[in-house]
Amino acid sequence: MLRLGRREFAAHEPVIMAIVNRTPDSFYDQGATFHDEPALARVERAVAEGAAIIDVGGVKAGPGDEVSAEEEARRTVGFVAEVRRRFPDVVISVDTWRHEVGEAVCEAGADLLNDAWGGVDPRLAEVAARYGAGLVCTHAGGAEPRTRPHRVTYDDVMADILEVTLGLAERAVSLGVPRESVLIDPGHDFGKNTRHSLEATRRLGEMVDTGWPVLVSLSNKDFVGETLDKPVKERVLGTLATTAVSAWLGAQVYRVHEVAETRQVLDMVAAIAGHRPPAVARRGLA
């Protein structure tokens, strides 16, 4: 059982985490949800389309202008409070690596801290424990926040992913983060080249077999673009194919831009796997 905020999710229940970037320079939408009203409209649409989690980010993942902790908090804290007010049952996640920001957003009502940079600030897990929030434990290959990988090598990329994420998860639980609220994430593109991310996807079942719920952040990423030689705006089909494979291998949470399309993919895979009945089943029966 995965428990986040007021919500509980069964073992085979796929969960969509919708991305809402509060940045003016995000790689995918170039700041479309930087201002409050379009961002809130995005939340409303995502929830209507089937997202259970809203992931709010105040700093672009890649290199760019410096964003202080104060500015990151300014972009996210008030927005989290307003989403909490308007959508009391939605799970609110915040994508941050800084404990100061984590503290502020948890105070404002966040349920989950999405640490995409792999515990670079060890105090973030302490914040999650103090507030009873969930934590995403990600493999970033030891990369510093907002840096791109350069000639990264692994003897065995999945072995490294498992060692890091399981270590972070057990540490979080030892600090007091509820075990049922901890997720592990292979960190596609983070500290990895395209071949590493493809192998991490191919071997995702090894993460699922640990018993920790697995989150994947695949949406329109560079490994999809390089694999198909497609620019950012033409990566949706590759993303959805990777989503289907990840779902078949047992990942549970999907951080995405395209909610409705992802919902259909996940429902279809769940039906094939026998975890979900068809919405309609009258063919050959009428």
Side-chain angles (χ1 to χ4, degrees):
M1 180 69 69
L2 173 63
R3 183 175 291 112
L4 300 170
R6 299 182 180 184
R7 302 286 299 274
E8 292 185 350
F9 305 97
H12 293 294
E13 182 178 356
V15 182
I16 294 178
M17 170 189 274
I19 299 166
V20 181
N21 290 316
R22 302 309 315 282
T23 61
D25 55 354
S26 55
F27 90 99
Y28 185 67
D29 60 26
Q30 291 81 50
T33 53
F34 182 47
H35 298 292
D36 287 350
E37 285 312 309
L40 289 167
R42 160 70 174 162
V43 173
E44 184 172 6
R45 184 171 64 255
V47 171
E49 291 177 346
I53 307 172
I54 300 297
D55 190 50
V56 180
V59 183
K60 176 183 176 181
D65 293 341
E66 174 65 24
V67 180
S68 66
E70 292 75 17
E71 173 61 15
E72 184 185 357
R74 188 191 70 78
R75 295 176 180 183
T76 56
V77 175
F79 184 73
V80 166
E82 183 60 16
V83 173
R84 178 81 296 148
R85 186 184 73 80
R86 295 193 188 193
F87 303 91
D89 294 325
V90 76
V91 177
I92 301 176
S93 168
V94 175
D95 181 352
T96 186
W97 73 87
R98 293 164 163 151
H99 76 274
E100 309 98 304
V101 177
E103 183 100 33
V105 296
C106 283
E107 192 68 34
D111 305 299
L112 176 66
L113 296 176
N114 181 10
D115 183 9
W117 290 102
V120 68
D121 181 349
R123 294 175 67 185
L124 189 65
E126 298 172 13
V127 171
R130 189 156 59 251
Y131 283 88
L135 185 69
V136 180
C137 299
T138 308
H139 179 272
E144 288 295 314
R146 308 194 67 193
T147 61
R148 297 196 187 282
H150 180 68
R151 299 191 182 280
V152 179
T153 61
Y154 298 96
D155 291 332
D156 182 329
V157 67
M158 183 50 74
D160 204 84
I161 288 169
L162 289 170
E163 180 180 0
V164 170
T165 58
L166 297 183
L168 290 171
E170 292 295 351
R171 176 180 182 269
V173 171
S174 74
L175 290 170
V177 180
R179 178 173 287 270
E180 63 273 17
S181 304
V182 175
L183 304 99
I184 58 175
D185 177 355
H188 289 81
D189 275 358
F190 281 61
K192 299 171 189 67
N193 62 31
T194 289
R195 288 185 174 85
H196 293 143
S197 292
L198 291 171
E199 182 172 351
T201 307
R202 188 163 57 249
R203 298 174 61 186
L204 201 63
E206 294 175 44
M207 296 188 75
V208 174
D209 287 345
T210 68
W212 295 97
V214 175
L215 179 150
V216 287
S217 183
L218 311 168
S219 195
N220 302 292
K221 283 195 166 179
D222 284 348
F223 84 96
V224 175
E226 288 195 354
T227 298
L228 301 176
D229 194 17
K230 295 293 184 182
V232 170
K233 293 299 183 179
E234 297 178 24
R235 298 175 182 176
V236 174
L237 291 177
T239 296
L240 295 176
T242 314
T243 298
V245 170
S246 300
W248 187 257
L249 292 174
Q252 184 165 16
V253 180
Y254 301 80
R255 183 177 180 271
V256 306
H257 296 99
E258 287 82 18
V259 174
E261 294 87 342
T262 303
R263 181 79 271 162
Q264 287 190 41
V265 168
L266 295 177
D267 286 350
M268 192 69 201
V269 173
I272 293 168
H275 303 315
R276 175 187 182 274
V280 177
R282 55 176 172 259
R283 179 175 172 81
L285 300 177

